Amino acid sequence: MQDGFLVSEWALIRRNELVDIPDQLEIHPDFLQVITHEEFERAFREIGGMFYQMYTDMAEDPQRFGLPLYREEEYDYFSDQAREARSAPWQPFYFLYCLFACSDFRGDVLTAETAEIRKINKAKKTNLLLEALCDYGFTFGGIKKYSLSSGGYLEIDYPDNRNVLTVLYAVASKVKNTQLKDVKNYYSNVIAFSNGFIGWNYKVLAEDLYTCSLAEGCDYVADKMHVEADREAITALDKILMEFGAVRKKGDPNEGPSLRYFCRKSSVYDYALTSDRGVLYLELRIRNAQNCLEYVSECPEGIAEMFRYSDSGCQNRRNGTCKSGVKYIFEQEEKWHCGCCGAPFKIHPVTEDIPHYLKLMELGGKKQTRPGGRRTH
């Protein structure tokens, strides 16, 4: 990985968002009009491996793909440059999507009008992207020096295995007609996290070409996990909270997809299941930690540790304007948790501890009240 480039780190984070392909694939007959189930599945897996390698190569050599070369030490997290670097690793895959979404088969190869590609494409330096794609087995005709403006049409081939063309075309067409229908900002986080093409999500194959329930429930986060225990914890907690009557909404922080659960009439969520750079966290909006401490003594050590650590602070706390922090005394020491950018308590959830999480929220979900009804942090 290139040292110091913001985009290199984010290429690996985005690589981690590719969905694991299971041993058995359910493929709707709509996808099998031209090739067999076995041929389709083999090509689908080959493309998944290609996408993984492309992300890896982007981290190692981002300039090869025309990605922004902003240095970590020169830009802070909230700068425009850092924001651009976080979404830039999606560009080659959105560009590949555009190529196949705009094309049609003519014989064994695909052809697309370059004007149509340029109309919907938002990726930069497409000449470098086309040249880079050749290193993964694609060939392009109809244009000169990889310039889309040099010809009226683009011919796309993958001579080593033309089933790859068939599969990419089928998935791109379905995503175009379902998930991205009428969507203007392809690059928004919530769209990217859900996108069956960008994440190369095998579940896009299970339904017909015009039906897509992908990422509509807790799979929005669960599909990004690579450990079965994490997927089980997400599914179990989601089921309980939804049965309790919680309202579930998608969140889209830069670090990964998030599901927020609102259990009361409030603009602030109570629970969140979040993929933070590939690590699953449960956020708990415990407002009155002091009320939880007696119960914590009965909990597993991992939960006690959640109360034991203390945040170093946030900008709002340092300037005296923080209204979301939680302060309490635990093991004879003052602890403080920031709640400005998320819920103040965060833990890697396990299914067997779900009853503890629910109890802690029952005990500490309300702000502490002084005599006379005045609230404190």
Side-chain angles (χ1 to χ4, degrees):
M1 185 175 73
Q2 286 277 8
D3 292 337
F5 288 137
L6 288 166
V7 75
S8 294
E9 176 190 4
W10 285 97
L12 297 182
I13 292 171
R14 299 309 177 206
R15 185 185 71 180
N16 194 61
E17 292 164 3
L18 291 170
V19 177
D20 291 341
I21 302 174
D23 294 336
Q24 301 290 328
L25 290 186
E26 180 182 353
I27 304 177
H28 193 278
D30 280 7
F31 289 96
L32 304 176
Q33 301 299 309
V34 179
I35 60 178
T36 67
H37 187 292
E38 182 181 0
E39 290 170 330
F40 196 105
E41 181 172 333
R42 187 182 303 117
F44 188 88
R45 295 183 188 279
E46 182 176 341
I47 296 164
M50 179 199 305
F51 280 20
Y52 187 94
Q53 188 60 50
M54 286 175 64
Y55 275 119
T56 304
D57 294 342
M58 273 188 269
E60 292 288 343
D61 191 8
Q63 52 264 63
R64 173 183 164 199
F65 297 84
L67 301 180
L69 304 180
Y70 304 126
R71 294 280 182 181
E72 293 177 351
E73 64 272 16
E74 296 177 7
Y75 301 98
D76 67 36
Y77 188 86
F78 300 100
S79 65
D80 290 341
Q81 292 82 0
R83 186 177 297 108
E84 181 185 355
R86 292 192 283 269
S87 62
W90 286 323
Q91 286 190 12
F93 302 96
Y94 272 120
F95 182 58
L96 198 60
Y97 160 79
C98 288
L99 297 183
F100 283 88
C102 292
S103 61
D104 287 297
F105 273 100
R106 293 185 184 178
D108 293 331
V109 299
L110 284 156
T111 301
E113 293 184 8
T114 54
E116 283 300 305
I117 296 172
R118 294 165 67 190
K119 182 179 178 180
I120 70 170
N121 170 60
K122 296 181 181 180
K124 301 175 181 179
K125 300 182 180 179
T126 55
N127 60 320
L128 293 180
L129 291 178
L130 286 168
E131 186 174 5
L133 286 170
C134 292
D135 294 333
Y136 300 93
F138 293 97
T139 63
F140 301 101
I143 59 173
K144 299 177 182 178
K145 296 182 179 179
Y146 305 106
S147 172
L148 287 174
S149 61
S150 67
Y153 72 93
L154 178 69
E155 186 179 270
I156 309 166
D157 197 4
Y158 195 88
D160 290 344
N161 182 5
R162 288 196 167 119
N163 291 336
V164 166
L165 296 179
T166 300
V167 173
L168 283 167
Y169 173 77
V171 176
S173 298
K174 174 164 180 177
V175 169
K176 176 185 177 182
N177 293 325
T178 56
Q179 288 189 305
L180 296 185
K181 187 177 182 180
D182 301 323
V183 171
K184 294 182 180 179
N185 183 11
Y186 292 171
Y187 283 84
S188 72
N189 287 356
V190 70
I191 296 298
F193 294 145
S194 302
N195 190 309
F197 189 95
I198 301 300
W200 205 241
N201 193 331
Y202 67 96
K203 292 181 180 179
V204 78
L205 307 176
E207 298 170 304
D208 66 62
L209 294 176
Y210 297 93
T211 305
C212 190
S213 58
L214 196 67
E216 290 184 359
C218 65
D219 287 350
Y220 176 65
V221 174
D223 283 352
K224 303 300 185 184
M225 297 295 104
H226 304 292
V227 177
E228 183 60 30
D230 288 346
R231 292 190 285 264
E232 290 176 356
I234 292 169
T235 302
L237 186 55
D238 178 85
K239 183 175 185 294
I240 291 170
L241 293 177
M242 296 306 290
E243 288 176 349
F244 283 172
V247 174
R248 181 208 302 128
K249 296 182 181 180
K250 290 180 180 178
D252 58 354
N254 295 306
E255 293 76 15
S258 178
L259 289 168
R260 281 83 183 269
Y261 297 86
F262 299 78
C263 300
R264 66 197 79 196
K265 292 182 179 180
S266 172
S267 61
V268 180
Y269 61 85
D270 296 284
Y271 299 84
L273 286 163
T274 301
S275 174
D276 187 336
R277 302 172 190 242
V279 179
L280 177 64
Y281 288 103
L282 169 65
E283 295 181 50
L284 301 169
R285 198 167 295 281
I286 295 171
R287 296 171 170 87
N288 186 350
Q290 207 69 42
N291 277 4
C292 298
L293 300 185
E294 183 177 350
Y295 180 74
V296 167
S297 64
E298 306 172 20
C299 294
E301 180 60 22
I303 292 177
E305 188 59 34
M306 178 174 63
F307 284 82
R308 187 170 289 122
Y309 85 87
S310 186
D311 291 342
S312 58
C314 67
Q315 183 63 39
N316 291 338
R317 190 188 189 200
R318 287 192 288 271
N319 63 30
T321 63
C322 182
K323 298 180 180 180
S324 303
V326 174
K327 184 168 62 175
Y328 57 99
I329 303 297
F330 185 57
E331 297 177 341
Q332 290 81 50
E333 292 183 0
E334 182 179 282
K335 308 292 182 179
W336 185 84
H337 285 207
C338 180
C340 295
C341 298
F345 288 82
K346 188 167 71 171
I347 192 171
H348 179 229
V350 293
T351 302
E352 55 266 31
D353 287 347
I354 289 177
H356 294 304
Y357 309 143
L358 300 175
K359 184 64 176 179
L360 289 169
M361 283 293 291
E362 177 188 335
L363 293 170
K366 295 182 180 180
K367 289 185 178 180
Q368 185 174 353
T369 303
R370 292 177 180 171
R374 294 179 58 197
R375 289 180 171 178
T376 66
H377 279 326

